[in-house]
Amino acid sequence: MGRLLVGVLASGRGSNLQAIIERSLAGKIDVEVAVVVSDVEDAQALERARSAGIPAVHIPPGRFRTKLTPEAEQRYVEVLDEHGVEVVVLAGFMRILHDDFLTRYAGRVVNVHPALLPSFPGLHGQRQALEYGVKWTGATVHFVDAGVDTGPVILQAVVPVMDGDTEETLSARILEQEHRIYPEALQLIAEGRLRVDGRLVTSAGGTDGATKGDAGATGGDGS
Ligand code: GRF
C-alpha cells in the first residue's frame, strides 16, 4: 500500500502540521505531506514545511475577510492537484471553504478543533469552554462539511479543565491531544479503515473513536 498524500492548509503556527510531519518522517504513519499551502505569507507553518523539505506555497486569499475568493480557491485546487493530494488536512486554516472545493474533495477534507464538538464550535473553543465553566473539554478531528465544525467526528480526546486554568494553560493541554489524535486519524484514513454512514464514522477493527488522553479520561463509551 502506498503512502497517503496529504496537502496541509495552515494559516499560522503550524504545530499540528509539525506533529504530522514528525510522525510521517519517522515512518510512524503511512502519510506523506505533499505540500503545505497558506493564505498568510509569513505563516510559521510555511517555514516548518520548508525546513522539512516540503513544498510550501503562499496563495493570497483575495479580498474577503473570512473566506477565499473563488479565484483564490481555484488556485488552491490547482496546487493541491499538482502535488497529487488525496486528502486535504486543515491545520489552523482560518478561511472558510466553499461548496465547490468541498464537492471536489468530497469526504476527503479533515480538520482539528480544540473542543469536544458539537460543544464550542467556531473561534476560541478553549475560551468558550472556560467561560461556560465545563469541567471537561478536549479535541476533535472531524471530516469537513459545509457548516462550521459540523462534519462527522473521527476521533476525540478528553481533557480536564483545572481550577485556575487560563486560556493559555488549557490550550496547551488540549494541543498535546491534538498532536496525538490528528496523526492517528490520518493513519486510519491511510489504512482505509474508516466507514462513514451519515454522521457516523466507524473504523474496522480498531479504535472506538474515544481516545484516552494522559488524564485517563474516557469518552463515548458511557463511562
Ligand atoms: C489548533 O488549536 C487547532 O485546533 C485550531 O487551530 C489551532 C492551530 O494550531 N483549528 P497550530 O497552527 O496547528 O499550532
Side-chain angles (χ1 to χ4, degrees):
M1 188 179 62
R3 302 183 97 199
L4 181 75
L5 290 182
V6 303
V8 178
L9 307 191
S11 300
R13 181 178 55 185
S15 71
N16 277 287
L17 166 68
Q18 189 70 41
I20 293 163
I21 291 174
E22 281 169 14
R23 304 289 195 294
S24 169
L25 293 179
K28 294 193 170 145
I29 52 176
D30 302 313
V31 170
E32 185 174 332
V33 180
V35 63
V36 175
V37 188
S38 182
D39 55 323
V40 176
E41 192 166 14
D42 60 354
Q44 199 185 342
L46 291 177
E47 275 310 310
R48 293 183 192 266
R50 287 186 198 107
S51 303
I54 295 167
V57 185
H58 167 236
I59 303 177
R63 63 190 180 283
F64 303 136
R65 202 171 54 84
T66 56
K67 52 187 187 176
L68 300 170
T69 58
E71 300 76 30
E73 204 168 86
Q74 181 53 36
R75 190 66 198 119
Y76 275 74
V77 168
E78 283 165 15
V79 169
L80 294 170
D81 280 0
E82 273 164 26
H83 289 87
V85 165
E86 298 166 280
V87 169
V88 179
V89 174
L90 307 184
F93 187 62
M94 301 306 285
R95 302 273 166 176
I96 293 164
L97 297 164
H98 293 99
D99 285 353
D100 282 358
F101 186 98
L102 296 175
T103 303
R104 181 177 186 98
Y105 296 103
R108 297 189 291 129
V109 185
V110 291
N111 183 42
V112 64
H113 182 75
L116 287 177
L117 293 172
S119 290
F120 314 128
L123 291 177
H124 309 300
Q126 307 94 328
R127 189 188 306 169
Q128 292 184 58
L130 279 176
E131 286 174 354
Y132 195 93
V134 292
K135 302 300 183 194
W136 297 92
T137 182
T140 302
V141 179
H142 63 94
F143 286 110
V144 174
D145 65 9
V148 175
D149 301 325
T150 52
V153 171
I154 303 172
L155 288 178
Q156 292 186 305
V158 181
V159 170
V161 181
M162 309 289 203
D163 289 349
D165 258 342
T166 62
E167 203 176 334
E168 288 66 37
T169 58
L170 180 59
S171 297
R173 197 174 306 121
I174 293 171
L175 204 57
E176 258 180 59
Q177 299 305 318
E178 294 182 33
H179 295 169
R180 191 173 62 82
I181 66 172
Y182 214 0
E184 196 179 312
L186 295 180
Q187 179 61 15
L188 291 174
I189 296 173
E191 290 174 4
R193 297 224 322 249
L194 295 184
R195 299 284 168 271
V196 185
D197 181 11
R199 290 210 52 85
L200 188 64
V201 181
T202 50
S203 77
T207 174
D208 60 2
T211 76
K212 293 184 171 62
D214 290 343
T218 68
D221 62 357
S223 61

